[in-house]
Amino acid sequence: MKTVKENYDLVVCGGGMAGFCAAIAAARHGAKTCLVQDRPVLGGNASSEVRVTIHGAACHHYNARESGIIGEALNAERRNNHLFPIENGWTNSVHDMALYDMAVREPNLTLHLNTTVRDVLLSDGRSGLQSLGEWPVATDERGYLHRPACHEGLKIEAVRAVVANAETERLLYATQFIDCTGDALVGHLAGCEWRMGTESSSETGEVHAPPKASRDTMGNSIHIRCIDTGRPAPFTAPDWAMRYEDADFFYKQGRKPNEPEGGFWWIEIGVPWDTIHDNEAIRHELTRHALGVWDWMKNRDPQMMDRCRNYALEFIGQVPGKRESRRIMGWHFLNENELQRREAFPDECAFGGWFIDLHTPGGLLAPTSEPDSALGYDSSLREVALKYIGPYGIPLRSLISKDVPNLAMAGRNISVTHAALGTVRVMATCGLMGQAIGTLAAHARGENESLAKTALEAPAKIQQALLRDGCFLPHHRNEDPADLARRANVQASSSLRINGLGAGDRVEDGNLRPHVWACATDRSRALDRDPCQWFQLGGGELKRLGIHLVNTKSSSQSVRVALRKAKSLWDYETSAEDPVWQGEVTVPAEFDDLIWLETGLSGLRDGVYRLELEGPATLAWRCSPGRQHGTAGGHRIGSGRFHWNRLFGEMAYQTEPAQAVFEPANVCSGITRPGDGMHMWLSDPAQSLPQWIELRWPEAVDLRRVELTFPMQWVLETHWENPFYVAPHIATAYRVEVPAGKGWRTLVHETANTACRRQHLLEETISTHTLRLRIERTHASRSAGLVEIRCYAT
């Protein structure tokens, strides 16, 4: 066996989305970084080997799409991939290559694929494997498995890894390590305290913790992909495959096979097997059941047989995707209650917004699948509505081991309860955590400080670095004193003013799959379902408000209307501020048009408002097929309708006058997406391109670096983006200019841009009073757009 010794500032173990983002972030911040991955491709569960599609907060919240490195990776995959990311099972190798391309482009990053971590070397001179026999063992005295900390403050000196099919061992030395293995292997070998299983409600006080603690975990899954062959494609399962005969098992127990192509997340097995040590037994059982599921759909399912007639099994995964195993204890033990109340952590480093998604232990072997699926995701039920939480922040302290000073973690092995894991475990959220901890590791190295000391004493430095790198933090904004743009006056050639969304509008972003909008399935929403619309007002005045209502009865009916100031697009509380306007409106018989309300409001604060309607089931509010940045349709959910949530779509409304919400000053607001305000500039589409936005300083400033953020598609997850997707407002051709005599001198000229974020290092330092961005062409929009501009002297 050949042994190779290597030295780094940071070693990241595990190349899933958390580890990938951690390694990229650390390398970009100057740390000499090594990424170790035990598979031939990056992405972990998101790779073409496992094929779990990447989910995150945007599944449940408008404008909550993850940005930063995870957003960069997803955007790169979509603009280069010919395939729809339909659901689980449909990831292809183009996704793998998008990640690989980003990794190999980083000069500070060394990538070791097909390399499995076997051991750690500790600062007492012993290895983790040598010490396991002497350290305390995990017990289930608390109900769940628990292993206490095994020492006081030993550090990791190196990890020992073996390269598959190469007869090579690598000793990877570093000053810092990040465990992104999922199973917390490095933390386990290094002697960290960990848990595995389910805490009780008496211990944690959480809404979704069960009365009794147990060793139960969520299970593992493999995925299948099926393709339309254009002709009948018979299928005969092997005799060792599972045979299903009961339609109720699928259609009444939360395992409905909606599409013949795949997406069957409920092909899942865990208990009674251990998701770590029995992984191979689980893989075989999953294979038996996956073949049995396809056999049922093809040959006996009364609802799917005809639809599946021409479909053939094209892929069946053989690498199980895990949901849960060990969780390392950190400086903060994050629980569901903190996420439910959207705690504003001082060291907030990432955000999430997936629902509390706790799969039934046993999966296919249990009476029902994930409980909400078994209930048909009926949000009118309180037990379902309570699962929808966020967007919430995640603290850095939950990503740092309390026992090993130079070890951090990201992904599903962080310091979190079982119930809270149900929401933070999805991969877009894991990617944000990875970027945060990679950034922290690089900064701690630069300051020659420990991970915990940097996180506890200087979280603002990490937060500002994350914001500059394109991340979004719910409770923080750009406050970088070195950013010269914050001192400038901002002007533009024109600005878009909006007056609402009509029932006949068209979606400008035609490269999104259209059936995601409510209007594709519901042309209107009955008023007994309490629909609402969040929208933005700017300019202080609202003389009239139009609502497109439908009354099919032969007599008039009444509707109650309230307009409230909301904190943001994510303000779901029913006990919001008192209405700024409310009243009861009579809708004429057999009516289908706008009803105008004479609101006569002035002196209104700029920002988000929620328009709420209540009425009988025989009255309806028309949906709009259009879409605007910074707006969202919604409805009340839960028994008693105790809070609001978004819809897949918008409601038709109009305002007079048109609202000035896309003003140029928004690009220096410090926030990079619509939320509590619009936080972006769009030019007037009635004025042809090019359009410009300009920074002006009272005194000359020295500029060397200009950083631009263009509007991305924040509203929906990547699943809804067509092949070769690029967001419509991205500037494909633009110039960065400064005055020169009677004209303009071009400092930067781009002609084929497809990225949302661009950083330009100028050839030389420029002293100027004025900087102009001239957008000559966008990908698909008639409006030029910009979310943020930053300017630096170095």
Side-chain angles (χ1 to χ4, degrees):
M1 176 77 72
K2 177 183 176 181
T3 299
V4 179
K5 295 183 179 181
E6 301 172 9
N7 289 279
Y8 299 95
D9 297 322
L10 172 69
V11 173
V12 180
C13 300
M17 296 313 300
F20 168 80
C21 292
I24 295 285
R28 289 180 178 176
H29 279 277
K32 184 182 178 184
T33 303
C34 178
L35 176 58
V36 184
Q37 164 70 334
D38 62 353
R39 305 301 305 172
V41 293
L42 296 168
N45 282 352
S47 73
S48 63
E49 289 190 314
V50 185
R51 302 194 178 191
V52 180
T53 47
I54 294 177
H55 282 293
C59 185
H60 303 292
H61 309 279
Y62 264 22
N63 290 299
R65 175 83 168 264
E66 292 76 11
S67 50
I69 292 170
I70 185 72
E72 180 184 342
L74 291 174
N75 291 340
E77 183 273 337
R78 276 295 79 206
R79 68 174 174 259
N80 290 294
N81 205 332
H82 66 281
L83 197 66
F84 280 106
I86 291 177
E87 244 299 340
N88 295 333
W90 274 71
T91 305
N92 63 8
S93 294
V94 177
H95 180 277
D96 302 337
M97 198 50 56
L99 304 184
Y100 188 73
D101 175 63
M102 288 178 63
V104 299
R105 286 175 182 269
E106 291 300 327
N108 284 332
L109 179 58
T110 298
L111 182 61
H112 288 319
L113 298 178
N114 293 305
T115 303
T116 303
V117 173
R118 300 287 194 190
D119 200 358
V120 304
L121 305 183
L122 298 170
S123 55
D124 66 352
R126 295 170 60 82
S127 80
L129 283 175
Q130 289 175 330
S131 302
L132 284 178
E134 303 171 9
W135 286 344
V137 297
T139 68
D140 60 1
E141 292 177 358
R142 302 182 181 184
Y144 49 83
L145 276 176
H146 172 252
R147 203 271 299 270
C150 302
H151 53 73
E152 294 184 4
L154 291 179
K155 291 185 176 181
I156 302 173
E157 298 286 341
V159 296
R160 186 188 304 273
V162 175
V163 185
N165 303 312
E167 298 181 8
T168 298
E169 177 186 76
R170 296 188 185 275
L171 281 175
L172 305 174
Y173 289 85
T175 55
Q176 296 169 335
F177 297 83
I178 302 178
D179 187 341
C180 299
T181 60
D183 287 337
L185 175 62
V186 176
H188 171 62
L189 292 172
C192 293
E193 179 184 0
W194 56 259
R195 297 181 178 197
M196 182 172 171
T198 303
E199 293 89 359
S200 68
S201 57
S202 61
E203 177 182 357
T204 67
E206 295 168 305
V207 175
H208 291 103
K212 184 178 180 181
S214 72
R215 297 177 62 160
D216 291 350
T217 63
M218 293 178 278
N220 303 352
S221 288
I222 63 173
H223 296 294
I224 63 175
R225 176 189 174 190
C226 306
I227 58 172
D228 189 346
T229 65
R231 60 181 180 178
F235 175 76
T236 302
D239 56 7
W240 49 267
M242 184 68 182
R243 185 175 177 87
Y244 288 102
E245 300 285 357
D246 183 9
D248 287 353
F249 178 82
F250 296 95
Y251 291 99
K252 293 185 178 181
Q253 297 175 16
R255 305 180 182 97
K256 185 178 179 181
N258 294 311
E259 302 292 340
E261 292 94 344
F264 314 129
W265 54 264
W266 40 262
I267 299 178
E268 172 186 0
I269 290 176
V271 175
W273 289 280
D274 182 293
T275 55
I276 297 176
H277 300 107
D278 297 328
N279 192 50
E280 264 301 290
I282 292 173
R283 180 202 57 77
H284 176 67
E285 287 301 310
L286 285 168
T287 303
R288 291 181 60 241
H289 284 267
L291 291 170
V293 167
W294 184 239
D295 173 50
W296 158 258
M297 292 172 62
K298 283 284 291 184
N299 299 319
R300 292 178 299 284
D301 186 336
Q303 297 191 34
M304 294 297 293
M305 282 177 59
D306 288 342
R307 293 181 63 190
C308 292
R309 187 179 308 278
N310 292 350
Y311 279 81
L313 187 63
E314 190 265 349
F315 168 84
I316 179 165
Q318 288 296 283
V319 180
K322 294 185 184 180
R323 291 180 176 86
E324 182 179 11
S325 52
R326 300 186 190 102
R327 293 167 278 125
I328 301 171
M329 296 297 100
W331 286 91
H332 182 85
F333 189 42
L334 187 62
N335 69 58
E336 178 199 348
N337 294 339
E338 294 170 309
L339 304 182
Q340 288 276 7
R341 63 177 179 259
R342 293 195 262 183
E343 186 87 16
F345 297 106
D347 57 338
E348 178 179 273
C349 68
F351 76 95
W354 188 252
F355 71 115
I356 302 290
D357 185 9
L358 296 169
H359 290 218
T360 306
L364 289 170
L365 307 183
T368 65
S369 70
E370 191 273 327
D372 289 347
S373 178
L375 293 170
Y377 297 107
D378 183 356
S379 62
S380 68
L381 301 174
R382 185 176 181 86
E383 57 265 44
V384 175
L386 281 169
K387 299 282 186 73
Y388 293 98
I389 66 170
Y392 52 77
I394 298 171
L396 262 175
R397 289 163 294 156
S398 290
L399 313 183
I400 303 169
S401 165
K402 68 177 182 60
D403 302 315
V404 178
N406 64 338
L407 178 66
M409 54 274 187
R412 59 182 174 84
N413 58 357
I414 69 166
S415 183
V416 63
T417 65
H418 167 80
L421 182 68
T423 173
V424 305
R425 65 183 173 82
V426 291
M427 285 182 284
T429 308
C430 291
L432 294 179
M433 291 189 282
Q435 181 167 359
I437 203 62
T439 302
L440 171 67
H443 278 256
R445 162 198 163 271
E447 299 293 331
N448 197 28
E449 296 283 2
S450 71
L451 296 167
K453 183 177 176 62
T454 303
L456 292 170
E457 296 183 2
K461 181 183 295 186
I462 308 306
Q463 290 160 345
Q464 290 301 311
L466 290 168
L467 292 172
R468 184 174 177 179
D469 291 341
C471 293
F472 171 76
L473 299 175
H475 298 97
H476 298 274
R477 65 172 67 211
N478 173 22
E479 296 176 344
D480 187 352
D483 178 10
L484 299 171
R486 298 176 63 228
R487 310 179 202 168
N489 177 46
V490 190
Q491 299 182 10
S493 53
S494 68
S495 296
L496 170 63
R497 295 194 171 208
I498 56 173
N499 60 359
L501 291 160
D505 287 357
R506 298 180 62 186
V507 179
E508 180 179 40
D509 194 353
N511 207 18
L512 289 173
R513 293 160 67 188
H515 70 269
V516 304
W517 304 113
C519 60
T521 53
D522 298 325
R523 294 192 62 196
S524 60
R525 300 283 293 184
L527 296 194
D528 68 330
R529 300 175 72 181
D530 293 348
C532 74
Q533 177 74 20
W534 287 271
F535 58 88
Q536 309 266 349
L537 295 179
E541 187 177 38
L542 182 64
K543 294 180 179 178
R544 297 207 304 164
L545 180 62
I547 309 170
H548 194 137
L549 296 174
V550 180
N551 181 7
T552 57
K553 291 187 68 174
S554 58
S555 58
S556 61
Q557 300 186 79
S558 295
V559 54
R560 293 178 297 280
V561 181
L563 180 67
R564 302 177 194 271
K565 181 71 178 71
K567 297 174 185 175
S568 74
L569 291 172
W570 304 328
D571 184 353
Y572 303 136
E573 301 300 322
T574 54
S575 56
E577 297 186 22
D578 291 339
V580 297
W581 190 93
Q582 61 183 333
E584 189 164 302
V585 180
T586 300
V587 184
E590 299 177 352
F591 184 84
D592 187 353
D593 205 346
L594 284 170
I595 281 190
W596 284 97
L597 313 177
E598 301 296 331
T599 51
L601 295 171
S602 60
L604 294 172
R605 289 176 288 164
D606 291 351
V608 180
Y609 288 76
R610 187 171 65 224
L611 179 60
E612 306 167 3
L613 271 62
E614 293 182 43
T618 49
L619 276 177
W621 190 355
R622 278 282 183 219
C623 297
S624 172
R627 180 169 68 91
Q628 286 175 346
H629 289 286
T631 63
H635 64 152
R636 290 184 194 260
I637 63 173
S639 306
R641 308 290 174 88
F642 65 95
H643 72 88
W644 300 91
N645 208 301
R646 73 95 177 264
L647 290 169
F648 275 115
E650 310 270 5
M651 310 311 297
Y653 74 99
Q654 297 287 302
T655 65
E656 285 188 4
Q659 300 296 306
V661 295
F662 290 105
E663 296 301 284
N666 291 347
V667 303
C668 294
S669 71
I671 299 175
T672 53
R673 67 182 62 201
D676 60 347
M678 194 60 81
H679 301 300
M680 61 186 296
W681 165 72
L682 290 180
S683 70
D684 183 354
Q687 298 190 32
S688 61
L689 298 176
Q691 294 284 303
W692 53 262
I693 187 167
E694 191 173 273
L695 302 182
R696 296 180 181 177
W697 291 272
E699 298 179 353
V701 296
D702 291 338
L703 300 181
R704 187 66 196 280
R705 190 181 298 271
V706 178
E707 301 177 0
L708 306 170
T709 301
F710 299 109
M712 65 177 281
Q713 194 281 103
W714 295 287
V715 176
L716 298 167
E717 293 188 295
T718 187
H719 304 63
W720 308 116
E721 296 171 349
N722 279 338
F724 309 117
Y725 178 84
V726 177
H729 287 107
I730 287 179
T732 53
Y734 62 88
R735 296 175 187 267
V736 177
E737 304 172 325
V738 293
K742 295 182 179 180
W744 294 87
R745 174 189 170 192
T746 298
L747 305 179
V748 176
H749 188 201
E750 292 289 335
T751 59
N753 176 54
T754 56
C756 294
R757 294 186 64 251
R758 295 298 307 269
Q759 297 172 299
H760 296 292
L761 180 65
L762 306 181
E763 292 183 358
E764 60 181 357
T765 298
I766 300 295
S767 181
T768 184
H769 288 83
T770 304
L771 184 79
R772 173 177 286 188
L773 172 66
R774 185 189 303 273
I775 296 178
E776 300 171 329
R777 187 176 67 252
T778 68
H779 181 72
S781 174
R782 293 176 297 140
S783 291
L786 188 67
V787 174
E788 182 178 64
I789 183 169
R790 291 180 179 231
C791 298
Y792 293 91
T794 58

